[in-house]
Amino acid sequence: MTVSLRPASGADLMAVGALHQRSRVAAYSSFLPAEALADPTAEAMGRYWTERLTWEDEDHRMTVAERDGRLVGFSYLGPDDEGDPATGLLNAIHLEPAERGRGTGRALMVDALDAMRARGWSRAVLWVLQENTTARRFYERGGWTATGEQRDDVIGTALVPQLRYARSL
């Protein structure tokens, strides 16, 4: 059965948090220690998304992907984190681990890029963990290019370098 996309609702956010936690563990466990990925819990991630959307609802957009009526992925986008009014930021694409390679991530990315164009942005950017080579290849196949910019983030107890990617819309 094919995947369907729709705008997220408040009723989705606890499930989004649980999916986000499962996705992080699956994607990052090859290069981050288990203790770094144990926190936040799935429930805490759900509360995080509930609170975040409360503050960002007016200028951000979350889309959920469903297969057979079950949440299997989501994307989240908003304005550029560096304040460029012509640029949108793809904050996240996360999938259930079993969804990898099924076209769900690609569908979420295409949908996010279309939404950015509809908002009048001419450029899209994102941050990806430097060691997440699977995600980096995914974005590169989608036309994204590393800009050379780097920053550090913290996941649990681990300091992780991130790379900025960009593409034209």
Side-chain angles (χ1 to χ4, degrees), residues 62-131:
M62 179 180 279
T63 299
V64 294
E66 294 179 323
R67 185 181 302 279
D68 300 325
R70 196 174 127 265
L71 180 73
V72 295
F74 74 94
S75 65
Y76 192 65
L77 64 89
D80 178 40
D81 59 343
E82 295 183 357
D84 180 356
T87 300
L89 175 67
L90 180 57
N91 291 275
I93 292 179
H94 281 277
L95 302 176
E96 283 289 356
E99 281 296 305
R100 287 187 189 171
R102 297 188 73 187
T104 304
R106 175 99 175 121
L108 285 164
M109 180 171 44
V110 168
D111 176 75
L113 295 172
D114 288 346
M116 289 180 179
R117 281 185 207 95
R119 289 181 177 209
W121 294 325
S122 58
R123 181 174 180 251
V125 295
L126 61 84
W127 291 97
V128 63
L129 299 185
Q130 179 177 319
E131 292 188 70

Side-chain angles (χ1 to χ4, degrees), residues 27-48:
Y28 309 158
S29 62
S30 66
F31 57 88
L32 288 178
E35 60 272 9
L37 295 170
D39 190 45
T41 64
E43 184 177 328
M45 290 294 276
R47 289 192 307 270
Y48 163 81

Side-chain angles (χ1 to χ4, degrees), residues 24-25 27 45 52 59 71 92 104 120 146 151:
R24 286 168 35 120
V25 169
M45 290 294 276
R52 184 168 180 179
D59 62 356
L71 180 73
T104 304
R151 71 179 184 189

Side-chain angles (χ1 to χ4, degrees), residues 43-59:
E43 184 177 328
M45 290 294 276
R47 289 192 307 270
Y48 163 81
W49 280 110
T50 300
E51 184 172 332
R52 184 168 180 179
L53 278 177
T54 299
W55 298 108
E56 296 179 341
D57 189 46
E58 287 188 28
D59 62 356

Side-chain angles (χ1 to χ4, degrees), residues 20 23-25 27-32 37 91 94 126-137 139-140 149-156 158-165:
H20 190 178
S23 174
R24 286 168 35 120
V25 169
Y28 309 158
S29 62
S30 66
F31 57 88
L32 288 178
L37 295 170
N91 291 275
H94 281 277
L126 61 84
W127 291 97
V128 63
L129 299 185
Q130 179 177 319
E131 292 188 70
N132 192 348
T133 55
T134 300
R136 290 175 60 190
R137 280 192 305 270
Y139 290 118
E140 289 165 3
E149 297 170 80
Q150 287 188 257
R151 71 179 184 189
D152 288 328
D153 195 10
V154 176
I155 294 181
L159 187 65
V160 291
Q162 295 181 324
L163 303 175
R164 191 166 176 98
Y165 274 66

